[in-house]
Amino acid sequence: MRYDVIGTRENMKVIDSSKNDQIQIDVVEYQKLIGGTTYSHAHKLEYLQKQNIRPRQVVIYINDSSVKVEPGAMSYFQGNLEMVSGVTPGKLFSRALTGMLTGEGTAQPEYRGSGMLVLEPTYNHSYVLELQAGEEIIVDKGMFQCAQGSVTVKAVAQKNVSSAALGGEGIFQMSITGPGLVVLEASVPMAEIDIIDLENDVLKVDGNFAILRTAGIDFTVERSAKTLVGSAASGEGLVNVYRGTGQVWLAPTMQIYNHLFAL
């Protein structure tokens, strides 16, 4: 049986796609919202269209495999798929506490079998990544959307007091380890992400807009200058510091969006 959420609808377009022998993941974008029925609706929808604000959905085609999904993200599924809760009663309290600290759900439901799984539409931007066996990334709170069943997703504590207390990322972040496909989401499009490659190097960031780092990067919070006086005089104070070999993903425009949305 063939599954296809796009069908013949010209209003929907696949903007990103990745697959292996077990699953295929498509990110689908609605080119225009055309369901308005009043002048007020038309005015708002026209503004959204001009600003390239379009709803997107993640569509997952599963072939005798499994997918982990952020709780509440499922829209509908078709085929021979079974949903399992992903948590036992004995672990419910600990998972609930971790979820409060990380911004992720209490348990990640897992869909097993063969069929099509479609996630809820969102205005966020989705990134489809493929992790190799043993490859680990640490991501910002609330970024996890779904992952192939072979991928390990867990909360990890910050390694030092400075990063936990002053880094702006909280005590816990999400560790995602391959092999398999992963989908992350954020308010910033991939076109506005700066991917910084470090090779036994140091990156200092004024703010908490580093949304992803690979496992070979250590994260601390330090003074921007060697002395307290120098840090105060520079106007920067404390900075987030990333050391090691690997990648750090920066989203500098996130601060602009946060400022605009706060007005």
Side-chain angles (χ1 to χ4, degrees), residues 45-59:
L45 292 175
E46 181 184 18
Y47 183 79
L48 290 175
Q49 182 70 16
K50 287 182 178 180
Q51 297 301 315
N52 196 37
I53 302 175
R54 298 172 181 174
R56 303 169 189 90
Q57 284 185 284
V58 173
V59 183

Side-chain angles (χ1 to χ4, degrees), residues 70 97-105 124 127 137-145 154-156 158 163-176 184-187 208-213 219 254:
E70 175 64 10
L97 179 60
T98 302
M100 291 173 59
L101 295 171
T102 61
E104 305 294 341
N124 280 337
Y127 319 135
I137 57 175
I138 310 297
V139 303
D140 207 354
K141 294 178 292 187
M143 286 187 64
F144 175 76
Q145 199 168 10
K154 63 181 181 180
V156 291
Q158 302 286 11
S163 58
L166 304 172
E169 306 294 350
I171 300 174
F172 288 91
Q173 288 185 291
M174 297 302 297
S175 164
I176 304 174
L184 306 176
E185 66 173 343
S187 59
N208 59 332
F209 55 88
I211 62 174
L212 179 152
R213 69 182 185 274
F219 169 45
M254 184 177 291

Side-chain angles (χ1 to χ4, degrees), residues 167 169 205-210 238-240 242 255:
E169 306 294 350
V205 179
D206 182 20
N208 59 332
F209 55 88
L238 300 175
V239 292
N240 290 355
Y242 301 86
Q255 294 181 318

Side-chain angles (χ1 to χ4, degrees), residues 3-16 26-34 49 54-61 75-76 116-122:
Y3 304 100
D4 190 356
V5 73
I6 303 301
T8 58
R9 285 183 282 177
E10 297 180 356
N11 193 38
M12 300 176 73
K13 177 182 178 182
V14 176
I15 60 172
D16 195 5
D26 292 344
V27 179
V28 176
E29 183 178 77
Y30 290 80
Q31 298 304 288
K32 181 183 291 187
L33 292 178
I34 55 178
Q49 182 70 16
R54 298 172 181 174
R56 303 169 189 90
Q57 284 185 284
V58 173
V59 183
I60 310 160
Y61 304 98
S75 180
Y76 62 93
M116 179 182 69
L117 172 64
V118 182
L119 304 189
E120 290 279 0
T122 173

Side-chain angles (χ1 to χ4, degrees), residues 193-249:
I193 300 295
D194 293 335
I195 300 178
I196 309 298
D197 291 304
L198 299 179
E199 186 172 349
N200 194 25
D201 203 355
V202 180
L203 173 69
K204 297 185 179 182
V205 179
D206 182 20
N208 59 332
F209 55 88
I211 62 174
L212 179 152
R213 69 182 185 274
T214 53
I217 302 294
D218 290 327
F219 169 45
T220 59
V221 177
E222 302 173 11
R223 296 193 298 264
S224 58
K226 292 183 178 180
T227 65
L228 288 173
V229 174
S231 296
S234 68
E236 302 298 342
L238 300 175
V239 292
N240 290 355
V241 179
Y242 301 86
R243 285 187 176 87
T245 298
Q247 286 188 345
V248 180
W249 288 24

Side-chain angles (χ1 to χ4, degrees), residues 53-101:
I53 302 175
R54 298 172 181 174
R56 303 169 189 90
Q57 284 185 284
V58 173
V59 183
I60 310 160
Y61 304 98
I62 308 170
N63 180 24
D64 193 23
S65 185
S66 63
V67 172
K68 301 170 183 176
V69 177
E70 175 64 10
M74 187 274 290
S75 180
Y76 62 93
F77 60 94
Q78 178 184 0
N80 186 25
L81 290 175
E82 176 190 15
M83 192 276 283
V84 242
S85 67
V87 67
T88 60
K91 294 183 178 180
L92 183 60
F93 177 76
S94 62
R95 288 296 300 270
L97 179 60
T98 302
M100 291 173 59
L101 295 171

